[in-house]
Amino acid sequence: MSSPEHKQKIWSLIKDIKTGMLTTKHGEELRSRPMVLVQDEYDGTLWFYTDLESEKVFEVEGDNDVCVTFSDTENHVYVSLTGVGRTTDDKSLIEKYWNPFVSAWFPDGKDSPNVGMLEIKVEKGEHWNSDSSKMVKLVKTAKAKAKNEQPDLGENEKFGTK
């Protein structure tokens, strides 16, 4: 697992992106779909609302290894987080994270019979952060190629276990 400082770093990278692509396993196929974060801080767990009757819930129940990726192409930030997913209908969690955006997906409100939370306990991940423009990247890549070296295109770090 990562340190409190590293968790803060991950949060600083993903908090403004908000929408991640959740990948689950459907039989032998990998499937991804957008999911919106609902939390205001990150402690190693990601929270999303979900319809408890949705296909992704059945996929997580069948194989709880999941991956969530975040991408901010404008600022050249990319984060991939892998962990274990589970669903819950815990009313205190539903209440804690409820917001007007979520109500659009659950017209019957917090008491909708299918409203639930998807919890992802992050075990490992990787992030890339390059504040360089395309032109700077092209120049760095060309220089590195001329020197038969790998270009330095910004920060890249792997973390976690498993």
Side-chain angles (χ1 to χ4, degrees):
M1 208 64 323
S2 57
S3 68
E5 294 80 19
H6 190 258
K7 288 175 184 169
Q8 270 307 115
K9 178 175 189 89
I10 294 298
W11 183 243
S12 73
L13 294 172
I14 68 173
K15 70 180 179 181
D16 292 330
I17 300 172
K18 281 290 198 203
T19 302
M21 292 297 290
L22 170 69
T23 302
T24 57
K25 201 163 185 188
H26 180 81
E28 293 301 312
E29 292 180 21
L30 296 175
R31 299 186 64 206
S32 298
R33 78 278 291 151
M35 300 289 289
V36 178
L37 284 172
V38 295
Q39 64 216 63
D40 293 323
E41 58 189 6
Y42 172 72
D43 64 358
T45 302
L46 301 174
W47 290 101
F48 304 97
Y49 278 93
T50 190
D51 182 328
L52 293 173
E53 295 293 321
S54 68
E55 213 166 343
K56 71 181 154 300
V57 169
F58 299 115
E59 292 165 0
V60 168
E61 288 171 355
D63 184 341
N64 63 359
D65 289 327
V66 298
C67 180
V68 182
T69 58
F70 296 88
S71 176
D72 178 351
T73 57
E74 185 175 318
N75 293 305
H76 314 286
V77 173
Y78 308 92
V79 180
S80 175
L81 303 171
T82 303
V84 176
R86 76 172 186 93
T87 56
T88 180
D89 62 357
D90 182 321
K91 297 299 181 198
S92 65
L93 287 170
I94 292 168
E95 177 70 33
K96 178 179 179 178
Y97 294 116
W98 193 261
N99 63 60
F101 177 80
V102 176
S103 65
W105 293 98
F106 297 98
D108 293 333
K110 300 173 201 169
D111 297 321
S112 173
N114 293 340
V115 69
M117 303 295 298
L118 175 60
E119 171 191 36
I120 299 173
K121 294 276 190 188
V122 174
E123 294 181 339
K124 62 182 179 176
E126 187 168 7
H127 55 88
W128 300 261
N129 188 1
S130 172
D131 57 3
S132 300
S133 68
K134 281 185 181 181
M135 182 58 82
V136 171
K137 287 180 186 175
L138 286 171
V139 170
K140 286 182 176 182
T141 301
K143 283 183 180 181
K145 185 173 177 152
K147 294 178 180 180
N148 203 23
E149 298 174 351
Q150 244 188 336
D152 176 11
L153 299 179
E155 178 184 25
N156 172 239
E157 181 181 9
K158 291 181 183 180
F159 66 93
T161 61
K162 193 172 177 186

